[in-house]
Amino acid sequence: MLRMRIILVIVSIVAVIAISSTAAGLFVYQNEGLKTIEGDMVLVREIADNLLSREIALLKANLNAVATLLNRVSDSRISDVLKAQTEINELYLSLALLNRDERTIVSYGTAAPLPDFFLNKYCRRAFEGEQIISTTETAPNGELVFRICVPSGDRVLVGTISGYFFSDIISKFKIWQTGSIFILDESGTFIAHGDRNIIRDRWNFIKRPKLQSTQSVPPEDEKEMRKTAAFHKRMTEGEKGVGRYNFLGFERICAYSPISSSKTGWSLGVAAPIAETPITALKHGLLLTGGVFLLLGILAAVFAANQIARPIQKIDEQNVHLEELRETAERASRAKSDFLAGMSHEMRTPLNAIIGLSELALTDASGQESEDYLKKIHNAGRTLLGTINDILDISKIESGKFELIPAVYDVPSLINDTAALNVIRIGGKPVRFHLHLDETLPVSLLGDELRIRQIFNNLLSNAFKYTKEGTVDWYIACEREGEDLWLISEVRDSGIGIRKEDLERLFSDYSQVDTKLNKFIEGTGLGLSITKRLTELMDGTITVESEYGRGSVFRVRLRQKFVSDEVIGEAIAQNLRSFRYADTRRDRNSTLVRISLPHARVLVVDDVPTNLDVAKGMMKPYGMHIDCVTSGQKAVELVRKADVRYSAIFMDHMMPEMDGVEATQIIRSEIGSRYAETVPIIALTANALIGSEEKFLEKGFQAFLSKPIDIMRLDQIIRQWVRDKGYRDQPEQIAPSPIFDENSPSWEKPGRKIRGVDLEKALSLFGGDEKTLMKVLRSYVLNTPHLLEQARLHQTADDLSQYIIAVHGIKGSSYSISADEAGRRAEYLEHAAREGDRAYLAANGESFIALTEQLIKDLSRLLAQTSESGLQSEPRIKKGRPDEELLNRLREACLHFSMDAADEILEELERYDYEYQADMVVWLRERIDRVEFAEVLEKLPLPS
């Protein structure tokens, strides 16, 4: 019995010790251990964020490099460049260049965006100047992809990469057994995860779609789903921290934060089941120790101590390893930061010039001085671009991805532009610049013009930067060697020179010689290094001679391909030396040679009268007879009657009741005449997206003409489809050039400029014919208010089809008069209406109407001023009443939908001041401008 009591006492003592020590250990180590685990997760999150941010920056930088390259090549070579870049960089599934003004996409690759990508919110933000990466989306070929969008001048370059790109990066990290790193987009959708099924099925706990995965969620876990959704909601709202939640029966710990380099609201999470963390192993060890205490007493305590120490040691070892990783990442970040800090001055200097000169240009009323400011802004921007390009170039060169792109280039233009860019570096310094040219220099060579400019710019910019007074001389010559030609450049300056000990590292990366003396002189330290490497890529050489304090001489020999024997000659050389050479392009519209087609008769179909006036004005120089109708039904009736057999029909796409496609199909398939089946029908539409032309051709059209109408494309179509080879063509006519005399409404005169309209561009659309332009503007002022009223009336209707037609009409007519801002905003509203986005319509509809109404007021003021100037006014003859014969002829013109005849008759009627029925002529003008022929026929009496 006593033995049992002793056993019980010992067991009790051991039990008390075991239970109390185990409980205390669990309390202390669980709390401290969890803090340690949380710290580790945060550290992993920071490392992952650093890595992902760097990858995002590299993606944008690489695509920016392609964008820079595209800005240097002609439009005809864009497809080839996209193809070459896609083949060079296997990362891209496709590359596409989007042109906002012409609504075109040039692309190469297997997953290019569809035409409606123009109105994707990421594409819009890119057009506004942002560099942005979209969330995952399904490409036309079924692949899951990301879209990287960067601005490229007025265009946007879109690079498409695999939707598993970021998943492949983070899947390399293993957090215990089943822990993972994941990324959510702004809506809470998984866009990166170690399990590809989650990305493929686009899991989203916030929207909570049906999860089609091997890991199905049972109904009893609905509560856990709600908690998980709430946790992900906090992540998408930009919160940062560490939290816990239950999912699939396991409690998980997660460190989360927004991705620092993401501009689209992406969030990063590092999560793992707590059961897999060392703290769980610690808990099990303590419980095991308690049991051993009950069974073995003192020996169990030693065992328990070992169990406790083991997980703590494991955590410490992991902390040491993670600390080493963090220090490595921080060192790399500091190195990059130090280099970018050195770039800040280089970027701020030209930016200050851009901002300051822009303000002066905006406040200056004199055209010449503003032009000078803008030229300087352009050069300052080029300087900034050169700094950024240096950074990108050295990165590509070091990675072995740099390639030359040879093409035929104009040598005088290269020399002129390079000299003009660098002369501004003189500023107020007493430095003289002399250009010495070999008159036997070829006019054209084959080589990489962009990189040759870069070499010359680097050498000249250094000469001007390091020369405080004296001279800078640039010598350019050439040596023929078979089919090759050596382009020889020598830059000689009287500047500060270079020390002998610095010559050896002159072409090293990231360095400037004599930095203490030259600390206030701009420079990245990359220019000469890049110059040397570019020279070597062209099989050339670069040498330097310098005497400290006396100046330097840099000589470069570059191998180029011979093109022709034509040389620049004495005249061009002298103009270049005197800085009087200008590489300008002649205005193609003002010199367009049109054929005369008085035998031709065409029909223009459009529900917007302004668009009819635009088409008439652009076709006027051809001398054709032009009839107009405002609906597809009327066009079908005219073709069915066949009283007039048209040489061609220009058919608008979007019209109420019967659109252009439906009208064309009826003409082709239901009328049944040979004429209806063969008359050329050309599609007119403001929805000029890639692929549209093929769709129209499949529907029975012969050609496709986008709005705003391009005068060269119109000429091509008229020559191909309207010109009748059976007639002898009249002598070709040159489009009239704009003549701004003292009576002309020159858009340079005060008060002639209209906010939101590029009148010079609009004038060029009509070959400089001011009278035609004023007529089109008057039509816009007269007809657009009706469309605005329709838009206001139907904006909140259940059926938005009429609203779409109204804003579509405003879009086309606005683009046609170069009111691009109004056209773009109408286009956004049209797209939003098609998608049923009533919130966007409510937020932007009224402001668009107000903008357009103000535009109409400004145009009305311009028209009034033009009338006062006497451009359109002639002395009027007094008359009793409108001539009955002219009214009868007007009635016949309306019966046959002949706009040309109606306009001519109205102009004759408007030459007189009438004592009676004067308001009738005004009424007739308004109805004819709106193509309301039916009302005119009701008004005019039948001939007696």
Side-chain angles (χ1 to χ4, degrees), residues 702-717:
Q702 265 68 45
F704 171 88
L705 191 59
S706 64
K707 300 176 186 175
I709 298 173
D710 179 80
I711 198 167
M712 302 300 286
R713 174 62 175 156
L714 175 64
D715 185 74
Q716 177 186 359
I717 286 176

Side-chain angles (χ1 to χ4, degrees), residues 633 636 639-640 658 661-673 676-677:
Q633 183 63 49
V636 172
V639 176
R640 193 187 303 275
M658 181 185 292
V661 172
E662 185 180 356
T664 299
Q665 291 179 334
I666 292 175
I667 291 171
R668 295 300 191 214
S669 59
E670 295 185 13
I671 294 179
S673 66
E677 293 172 356

Side-chain angles (χ1 to χ4, degrees), residues 533-691:
R533 298 196 190 199
L534 291 176
T535 301
E536 291 171 347
L537 286 173
M538 297 180 193
D539 297 330
T541 58
I542 181 170
T543 60
V544 58
E545 297 176 6
S546 183
E547 182 178 350
Y548 192 67
R550 300 291 298 273
S552 305
V553 179
F554 285 84
R555 295 185 182 88
V556 175
R557 287 172 57 87
L558 305 171
R559 185 189 295 275
Q560 303 290 282
K561 289 294 183 182
F562 179 77
V563 175
S564 71
D565 292 321
E566 184 181 3
V567 298
I568 64 173
E570 181 180 356
I572 293 179
Q574 184 57 38
N575 285 336
L576 287 169
R577 296 188 194 105
S578 305
F579 307 106
R580 292 196 304 267
Y581 180 83
D583 182 25
T584 59
R585 295 180 180 178
R586 300 175 65 187
D587 185 354
R588 64 174 189 169
N589 294 349
S590 63
T591 60
L592 174 63
V593 177
R594 295 178 174 89
I595 55 176
S596 180
L597 301 171
H599 59 273
R601 189 162 189 164
V602 298
L603 176 66
V604 183
V605 188
D606 200 305
D607 63 305
V608 180
T610 301
N611 291 338
L612 294 174
D613 287 325
V614 169
K616 284 170 49 188
M618 300 183 85
M619 296 180 188
K620 178 181 177 181
Y622 295 92
M624 300 183 293
H625 298 280
I626 304 169
D627 295 344
C628 299
V629 293
T630 56
S631 71
Q633 183 63 49
K634 292 179 181 178
V636 172
E637 292 173 2
L638 287 177
V639 176
R640 193 187 303 275
K641 291 178 180 179
D643 293 337
V644 175
R645 290 180 177 266
Y646 293 106
S647 304
I649 300 173
F650 291 83
M651 181 80 71
D652 183 35
H653 174 208
M654 284 192 61
M655 293 182 287
E657 298 179 5
M658 181 185 292
D659 66 19
V661 172
E662 185 180 356
T664 299
Q665 291 179 334
I666 292 175
I667 291 171
R668 295 300 191 214
S669 59
E670 295 185 13
I671 294 179
S673 66
R674 177 66 178 170
Y675 163 60
E677 293 172 356
T678 59
V679 59
I681 304 179
I682 293 89
L684 287 171
T685 182
N687 292 335
L689 302 177
I690 289 178

Side-chain angles (χ1 to χ4, degrees), residues 407-431:
V408 176
Y409 62 90
D410 188 77
V411 175
S413 294
L414 181 147
I415 297 171
N416 177 75
D417 295 349
T418 304
L421 176 63
N422 285 277
V423 164
I424 64 170
R425 299 180 185 276
I426 295 176
K429 296 188 295 185
V431 176

Side-chain angles (χ1 to χ4, degrees), residues 72 382 409-419 421-422 448-460 474 487 531 534 538 558 583:
R72 301 293 187 178
R382 291 284 295 272
Y409 62 90
D410 188 77
V411 175
S413 294
L414 181 147
I415 297 171
N416 177 75
D417 295 349
T418 304
L421 176 63
N422 285 277
D448 192 329
E449 180 185 7
L450 175 64
R451 298 309 172 185
I452 296 170
R453 287 177 184 263
Q454 191 172 355
I455 291 171
F456 292 167
N457 282 332
N458 283 342
L459 297 179
L460 283 171
W474 186 21
L487 189 60
T531 298
L534 291 176
M538 297 180 193
L558 305 171
D583 182 25

Side-chain angles (χ1 to χ4, degrees), residues 189-248:
T189 301
F190 282 86
I191 58 175
H193 194 278
D195 184 355
R196 282 198 171 196
N197 292 327
I198 292 176
I199 306 305
R200 182 196 63 205
D201 296 338
R202 295 180 63 79
W203 280 28
N204 188 313
F205 291 99
I206 299 175
K207 295 183 178 179
R208 300 178 61 193
K210 182 178 179 182
L211 300 178
Q212 299 176 348
S213 169
T214 55
Q215 296 178 322
S216 60
V217 180
E220 58 269 18
D221 289 334
E222 180 69 14
K223 186 176 180 181
E224 292 185 359
M225 290 272 292
R226 287 197 297 269
K227 289 182 178 180
T228 304
F231 189 89
H232 285 187
K233 181 68 174 175
R234 292 200 301 274
M235 291 179 63
T236 61
E237 292 173 348
E239 293 187 15
K240 179 179 182 180
V242 181
R244 283 180 274 178
Y245 60 93
N246 290 324
F247 180 61
L248 296 179

Side-chain angles (χ1 to χ4, degrees), residues 117-126 132 135 186-187 264:
F117 188 72
F118 277 97
L119 298 167
N120 181 284
K121 63 181 180 179
Y122 300 103
C123 182
R124 292 184 195 174
R125 290 172 64 177
I132 195 165
T135 187
E186 66 270 27
S187 68
T264 51

